[in-house]
Amino acid sequence: MATRHTTLESPMGELLLVGETSASAPGGVALVSLSMDGQRGGAPAQAHGVRDDAAFAHAADQLNAYFDGGLTEFELRFASSGTPFQRDVWAALERIPYGTTVTYGQIADRIGAPRSASRSVGTAIGANPLLVVRPCHRVIGANGSLTGYAGGLERKQALLTLEGAVLGG
């Protein structure tokens, strides 16, 4: 599959959107990753094929609406990736409502894993390639603290503030 990318300015800094050709996805591209400038593990845009801004117009419109406070749920097509466990964790992330937070243990509960799997859940969340649109920023520590976010804790706090989330909620 052909890989394409675009960049988008946002309140979180420059976002890099990467997608694969998909006949059924809006713009003909299923989102593979969404990363932030300077994030842990992020790759440069040049490593992701041809720049194609038009193919990501649907995603860009939704992201802009989200950052403007007018969108609370994304309707985007994602390319399939990850292990079965990661996909279970990521699906649970996608079901966390806008403006709320959950703990790693609660995610473990939601996927039918024991609470002792919280560390594995955290590892799977850390491997989430779709920041913002697959809302791993809504997962917090058991004590209500902000923990681990590939984009940095300042951005995690900013996203939660944008959503009006109450920590521990």
Side-chain angles (χ1 to χ4, degrees):
M1 296 199 148
T3 303
R4 301 176 189 172
H5 76 274
T6 193
T7 57
L8 177 69
E9 286 302 320
S10 82
M12 301 298 120
E14 186 176 77
L15 303 178
L16 172 63
L17 288 75
V18 177
E20 292 179 348
T21 303
S22 168
S24 61
V29 171
L31 205 54
V32 171
S33 72
L34 190 158
S35 56
M36 297 179 178
D37 187 39
Q39 93 171 45
R40 188 176 70 234
Q46 302 85 338
H48 299 291
V50 203
R51 183 176 182 113
D52 186 349
D53 298 338
F56 294 93
H58 180 71
D61 289 346
Q62 288 190 46
L63 284 160
N64 286 325
Y66 168 80
F67 287 120
D68 289 341
L71 182 79
T72 60
E73 191 173 326
F74 292 97
E75 294 181 15
L76 299 169
R77 181 73 45 92
F78 303 145
S80 181
S81 67
T83 67
F85 182 78
Q86 287 173 329
R87 288 192 301 270
D88 287 346
V89 170
W90 297 343
L93 293 177
E94 292 170 18
R95 291 188 295 272
I96 304 169
Y98 179 93
T100 64
T101 58
V102 300
T103 66
Y104 295 91
Q106 288 172 312
I107 293 289
D109 289 345
R110 291 177 184 190
I111 65 168
R115 284 268 173 152
S116 59
S118 293
R119 189 172 300 270
S120 297
V121 165
T123 300
I125 290 171
N128 172 24
L130 294 162
L131 299 186
V132 183
V133 297
R134 184 182 287 144
C136 55
H137 60 275
R138 297 179 188 155
V139 182
I140 60 174
N143 64 359
S145 64
L146 294 184
T147 58
Y149 187 64
L153 292 182
E154 304 81 20
R155 287 177 174 151
K156 183 172 188 164
Q157 178 66 64
L159 291 167
L160 292 172
T161 299
L162 170 76
E163 294 183 7
V166 175
L167 291 184

